[in-house]
């Protein structure tokens, strides 16, 4: 099912960066944003991530693993955000908690539409959320 586009979109939507380019959620995010005229950049640890080959992606960025090298991941992500000019960062998978906990290390002016780390962590536990 396709959701209808809002009646009025801003004249210019800022570029976005989507993480976890290997997963289908990220792929759906990329296509949804691109359909609305957003320039979308994607990052992943794998050189052959699914989103890398989408015509909707402005540029693909490789980064280190957020699990094996969290500080390296964040350094690579900051460099990619600076290099791409993306102003919105959309976590595509389990990196949402890490990014929420480290949002102060993101470049100034980059929006991370994710709740505070405590809320994200609490919602990961389904029993706690209930």
């Amino acid at each position: 099912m396709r959701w209808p586009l809002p009646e009025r979109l801003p004249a210019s939507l800022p570029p976005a960066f989507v993480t976890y380019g290997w997963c289908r959620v990220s792929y759906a995010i990329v296509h949804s944003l691109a359909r609305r005229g957003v320039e979308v950049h994607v990052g992943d640890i794998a050189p052959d991530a699914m989103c890398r080959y989408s015509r909707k992606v402005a540029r693909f960025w490789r980064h280190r693993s957020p699990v094996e090298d969290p500080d390296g991941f964040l350094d690579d992500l900051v460099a990619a955000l600076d290099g791409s000019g993306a102003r919105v960062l959309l976590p595509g998978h389990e990196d949402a908690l890490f990014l929420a906990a480290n949002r102060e290390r993101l470049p100034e002016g980059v929006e991370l539409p994710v709740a505070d780390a405590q809320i994200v962590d609490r919602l990961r536990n389904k029993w706690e959320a209930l």
Side-chain angles (χ1 to χ4, degrees), residues 2-78:
R2 281 195 162 178
W3 295 98
L5 290 173
E7 297 258 340
R8 297 172 56 176
L9 287 173
S12 176
L13 296 170
F17 193 97
V18 179
T19 63
Y20 273 88
W22 63 266
C23 73
R24 291 188 176 144
V25 169
S26 295
Y27 190 76
I29 292 169
V30 166
H31 280 261
S32 178
L33 292 173
R35 206 170 47 243
R36 289 161 174 79
V38 175
E39 177 184 307
V40 185
H41 299 264
V42 175
D44 198 84
I45 62 172
D48 57 351
M50 179 181 359
C51 290
R52 180 179 192 160
Y53 301 105
S54 172
R55 292 177 289 180
K56 309 287 185 186
V57 172
R59 181 165 174 198
F60 178 80
W61 302 76
R62 292 238 3 237
H63 56 70
R64 288 172 268 189
S65 168
V67 174
E68 295 173 9
D69 185 1
D71 287 327
F73 164 68
L74 200 49
D75 291 343
D76 292 346
L77 190 56
V78 167

